[in-house]
Amino acid sequence: MKRFLTRNAPGYVFLMPWFIGFFLLALGPILASLYLSFTRYDMVADPRWVGLDNYAYMFERDRRFWKALEVTFTYVALAVPARLIMALGVAMLLDKGLRTIGFYRAIFYLPSLLGASIAIAILWRQLFSVDGVVNQVLAVFGIQGAAWISDPDTSLYTLVVLAMWQFGSPMLIFLAGLRGIPRDLYEAAEIDGTSKRRQFFRITVPLLAPVIFFNLVLQTIEAFKTFSSAFIISNGTGAPADSLLFYTVYLFNEAFKFFRMGYASALAWVLLIIIGFFTAVSFFTSKYWVHYENERD
């Protein structure tokens, strides 16, 4: 025990604020939502125990639940790779030793700070409206723009573009990972006549795999939790034709618009299970493609 405390006590001391906040502020609501997920509760009358009825209705009869899953899964499948590719590309450009790199880092990170705000969501809705800036720019080149937001076939892609624009956070992590790759590996590859493309796939990607994995897990979780932009752009309804009915938007409406708090709690726990499942799959599959420097054969 003495050896354990000597090695781990400093870490637990630094984690103490999180432990205090979790047990005093978060654990109670978490357990309460778990209980409410098995009840019918409208925030007026007392909760009434219904067992698994909320979950049975969700999977057997709630068509909007399945639509919300479809929209959310589609968004995650498109937005996460697009954001990571964008972030890695910009990070590689900044890794070239540009002057005033601190300024560029700040500029590229700024969208990540502003992207989740209500103001940016409103601005994005205006940019992609029928008479918005995007269509005005296309008109200069003689291209007839679409009704991006009000068309169910294109509305989701506007949010994917917004997700790509918010690449600042993973970009900084990628940049830190690139700075950790020894330069002499690239110099040796250039002496051997290796092309830039082969250097990328033979040196950069393998050595950056732990950072790619870290960003992949974080960005997947964040994509599943996307709410404010979808809520504002769809006016809180998931319109048009439920094409922007994100899972979080549907959960919010069930809880605070229709006051079906018990059912909303069940939706929240299903979302937690989905995120946990994808996180577990990521960790399980990482052993096949993520390798660390301190690993031994």
Side-chain angles (χ1 to χ4, degrees):
M1 178 61 69
K2 182 178 180 180
R3 182 182 301 175
F4 174 82
L5 292 177
T6 302
R7 294 179 58 185
N8 300 293
Y12 284 107
V13 170
F14 282 108
L15 286 173
M16 193 59 64
W18 183 89
F19 282 122
I20 294 174
F22 176 77
F23 285 105
L24 293 183
L25 302 176
L27 184 60
I30 290 173
L31 296 177
S33 70
L34 179 60
Y35 165 73
L36 291 175
S37 70
F38 297 102
T39 66
R40 183 167 291 120
Y41 180 46
D42 60 2
M43 298 174 54
V44 177
D46 293 333
R48 183 166 61 87
W49 183 267
V50 295
L52 295 175
D53 285 0
N54 287 331
Y55 295 95
Y57 172 78
M58 185 188 309
F59 289 104
E60 295 176 2
R61 301 191 300 275
D62 190 354
R63 295 182 178 179
R64 298 200 80 202
F65 164 76
W66 292 106
K67 181 63 178 179
L69 280 182
E70 177 189 345
V71 171
T72 303
F73 282 143
T74 303
Y75 174 80
V76 172
L78 295 175
V80 172
R83 181 184 292 180
L84 292 182
I85 292 172
M86 188 75 174
L88 180 57
V90 175
M92 293 182 67
L93 289 177
L94 295 179
D95 191 45
K96 299 300 182 180
L98 299 176
R99 295 181 179 179
T100 64
I101 187 173
F103 171 76
Y104 287 109
R105 278 201 304 255
I107 292 298
F108 286 129
Y109 187 69
L110 188 61
S112 293
L113 296 176
L114 301 177
S117 67
I118 303 301
I120 293 298
I122 296 174
L123 174 63
W124 211 257
R125 185 173 61 187
Q126 295 301 116
L127 286 175
F128 286 93
S129 63
V130 177
D131 55 350
V133 175
V134 173
N135 283 346
Q136 291 179 16
V137 172
L138 292 176
V140 174
F141 299 96
I143 302 174
Q144 179 65 38
W148 306 101
I149 296 296
S150 56
D151 188 346
D153 295 330
T154 58
S155 57
L156 183 62
Y157 299 107
T158 62
L159 290 184
V160 173
V161 175
L162 176 58
M164 292 177 61
W165 183 64
Q166 302 166 353
F167 62 85
S169 178
M171 179 267 295
L172 290 180
I173 298 173
F174 277 135
L175 184 57
L178 290 170
R179 292 295 176 86
I181 300 177
R183 297 292 100 182
D184 54 357
L185 295 178
Y186 293 103
E187 294 173 359
E190 290 179 357
I191 294 174
D192 291 339
T194 306
S195 65
K196 294 293 184 181
R197 180 177 177 275
R198 288 182 63 85
Q199 289 181 34
F200 176 76
F201 287 104
R202 297 287 184 171
I203 299 176
T204 304
V205 172
L207 294 181
L208 205 62
V211 179
I212 296 174
F213 170 68
F214 178 76
N215 269 333
L216 176 64
V217 173
L218 286 187
Q219 296 306 316
T220 300
I221 294 174
E222 289 301 316
F224 273 112
K225 298 192 302 179
T226 299
F227 171 74
S228 59
S229 56
F231 186 85
I232 295 300
I233 291 176
S234 68
N235 292 318
T237 63
D242 285 345
S243 61
L244 295 180
L245 186 65
F246 280 55
Y247 195 100
T248 50
V249 173
Y250 182 52
L251 192 159
F252 179 88
N253 286 335
E254 288 294 312
F256 301 106
K257 184 177 181 179
F258 303 112
F259 299 104
R260 292 192 280 261
M261 190 61 67
Y263 187 62
S265 298
L267 289 171
W269 277 93
V270 169
L271 178 60
L272 174 64
I273 293 172
I274 292 173
I275 293 176
F277 172 77
F278 278 95
T279 303
V281 169
S282 298
F283 273 91
F284 176 78
T285 57
S286 66
K287 62 183 179 181
Y288 298 106
W289 62 279
V290 180
H291 304 283
Y292 300 91
E293 293 183 6
N294 58 354
E295 285 184 342
R296 295 181 179 178
D297 296 333

